[in-house]
Amino acid sequence: MTTDLRIDAQPDVEPDLQLLATATFVTADADRGAALELLRTVTLDQPPAEVASARILATAHGVYELFLDGEPVAPDVLSPGWTSYEWRLAVQAWDVTDALRDGAARRTLSARVGNGWWRGDLGFSQANACYGEEIGLLAALEITYRDGATQVVSTGTDWSARTCDVTANNLYQGQRIDARLRGDGAKANPDHRVTPLTLREGAFDRARLVPQVAEPIRRHEELAPQRIWRSPSGATLVDFGQNLVGWLRVEVEGPAGTEITVRHAEVLEDGELGVRPLRNAAATDTFVLSGTGVDVFEPTFTFHGFRYAEVAGWPGGLDPEFDTEVGQGAIGEAIRAVVVHNAMRPTSSFSCSDRLVDRLVRNAVWGQKGNFLAVPTDCPQRDERLGWTGDIAAFAATAAFQYDAADFLHSWLLDVALETAHAGHVPIIVPDLMRHARFDGPPPFPEVAAQAIWSDAAVWVPQALWQAYGDLDRLAAHYPGMVAHLESVEPLLSETGLWDAGMQLADWLDPDAPPDQPWAAKAHPGVVATASFYRSVAFAAQAARLLGHDADAARWAALAARVRAGFRTHYVSEGAEGLRVVSDCATVYALAICFGLLDGEEHARAADRLAELVAARDHRVTTGFAGTPFVTWALSEHGHVDAAYRLLLERGCPSWLYPITMGATTIWERWDSMLPDRSINPGEMTSFNHYALGAVADWIYQVVGGIRAAEPGYRRVLVQPVPGPGIDWARTSLDARVGRIETAWRVEAGVAGAAEVKTGGTTAPRTFVLDVTLPVGVPADVVLPDGTRHEVTGGSHSFRSALPDPA
Ligand code: BGC
């Protein structure tokens, strides 16, 4: 097995795409479902020991895997991922020096190509969107020998092609693998043969080739079944204990031609697999046994979002009565759930005294794993799995804390900018494959123009990346996309600077909206849109200043001032009852406070009203996509820490912890994706793995955990944990680019050590104890609950501070 080398995407390290100039894009006509297998014998020009270096560059229309003598060249799957293929098709590169040097002089280089996103029939409402009808491969192997000679083997019509054991593959529908068509299986089953195919040159635009920016998609954890049992209808169900994204790897032995069918679902309903939320995604894999021993199946040309699998056709049955031996393997070992996502570096940890909050945070991490597969998606299971821009606009800050998401989101932002240039505004889905939809009749929904929050992703995602990583080159790369967004919305503003015309998704999935009208929120769409646009323009002004675009900085500052003035004039009022924002609901106060639309004392008055509204609803959540990431911030930063904690810790529906009480292992799309009676929400749009409402994790890391970036990229850290009622201790860590930052705090009964109490000598009933660890040389300001501020640099530091009486 070879080591793999990802092309480093730093702008100054351009991979040599020239190598592919000698390659021909090859395709073949086969059944639309079948994967292609392409093969070429490679005879080394010199003895293998003379190989100094060797690398393979490749990409595909479709998804592909490369093999040398049948061994995978790399652990990557679903390459080349999904980009806006009209303009960017990512090239992967692997170092195969060892594999060639340590082998024979005659090798077989082969590839399998499946439909992937290219010929995916993707999109909700049966859009059947495809980029093209031909799938195929472009690849080149370059071997450099010790004497400097080179040998290049690249794709061309001199390769051979055939069908393979993958007889059907589709991201939504699943995959069929027939082991009778492989090696020994084929010998034993002469009636089942792969079909030779004629290779031909396919249509291919080399101008679209770009080095891969995002980390490759790879397998990660493997989960064993936690339970296997019979459902009321007699189906065999397997529970993996975690809602995850990937597939099953199955090892099984049985008579030739036996068909095992695996259906996947995130939840159970009435004791059976709950597949209704999958809509038109069959999410079903079929494995056909060879009859020649143990067959291993792994459907790597599809993926599913699931916790449960229904397995039918297992030879001898797969149920608790039969749980020891299946062929040569115990059942528990015969089935594994394989977790698949882009190989980003995990960066966070969190635990606290409330186990439900711990689970909520873990669910936000699992939400990112499942939805950072090729592009940041809304959800990974139903007939959607699209790059909905609003979802990542809400979640980007959380994502950038949990993983080093810089390259993954940078790649996606490059597509956002290209799609924006094409559409004239930031589309609500990137890559915007709905352009390629093939509906039977006219599209079942109207075309949507620029949308607040969704289109603001062009600014908010770069803003989150800037804050987390402090990379000015990347900010510069994202700046033109930001400008394109602002310029597309500016003409839509009213004379007084409001974004108040046109349909808005706005505070999507407000829990008070009717289930079939998720846009019908309490928050006035103009308030949400104008506030969101103000946030974008204000950050663009800051970015322009940082990048030295002084004229732009002045332009955006002036636009920001106009939008802000409009917002204040039309949407904010002060009367006998106090400060009011139009539509008077939690979301509008959260946005006005957090986006900088209020002055001085107004913040406190708005937060007071917000706290009143929150209390009036018994600390149940009342916000949707727009307000949810900000409501706890608006409270905790303006005198209502208790209300923020009560909101976080509420367990009744709707709340963040309600799904946890129902056993959720990922963040749900709806506050009540599952109703208290355990039935699935009747809305046709109900997923159990949507990260957007998990954006509260950002507040948990920064406010409960207390790790904040005082300067972008944590070059200076603000350590300011804010304890509140219901949580007695918390431990948080962040592997930032500057190094590891850790906080651990606990509340102790009694009085802090006299010398260390910072309360001016008054006794206090409880003590806040904080341990902080910082990377060497990184300065931090530590702010304690008693308001004192301490400047420290690097190393470990401990603090004690009195806490006010909880009463
Ligand atoms: C998606 C959402 C998305 C929304 C916007 C839904 O179908 O799953 O997460 O943002 O549509 O319309």
Side-chain angles (χ1 to χ4, degrees), residues 378 382 384 388 391 454 505 508 625 669 685 690:
D378 56 336
R382 66 179 177 224
E384 209 152 342
W388 282 98
D391 301 49
W454 276 255
L505 300 168
W508 183 257
F625 270 35
E669 175 172 29
M685 191 192 75
H690 247 70

Side-chain angles (χ1 to χ4, degrees), residues 124 279 377-379 382 384-386 388-391 428-429 454 503 505 508-509 518 625 669 684-685 687 690 692:
F124 52 94
R279 299 194 306 217
T377 52
D378 56 336
C379 57
R382 66 179 177 224
E384 209 152 342
R385 318 183 191 185
L386 305 174
W388 282 98
T389 49
D391 301 49
I428 50 178
I429 301 170
W454 276 255
M503 187 259 172
L505 300 168
W508 183 257
L509 285 172
F625 270 35
E669 175 172 29
E684 63 89 58
M685 191 192 75
S687 118
H690 247 70

Side-chain angles (χ1 to χ4, degrees), residues 10 31 83 92 105 120 142 173 229 250 358-359 389 403 434 440 453 468 478 480 541 578 613 662 687 710 716 790 799:
Q10 297 312 308
D31 182 273
T83 44
Q92 292 70 52
E142 185 191 54
Q173 308 312 331
W229 76 105
V250 162
D358 281 3
R359 185 68 241 193
T389 49
Y403 282 88
M434 296 305 266
D440 282 345
I453 303 170
H478 302 150
L613 290 167
M662 299 291 286
S687 118
R716 185 175 190 93
H790 310 262
F799 302 88

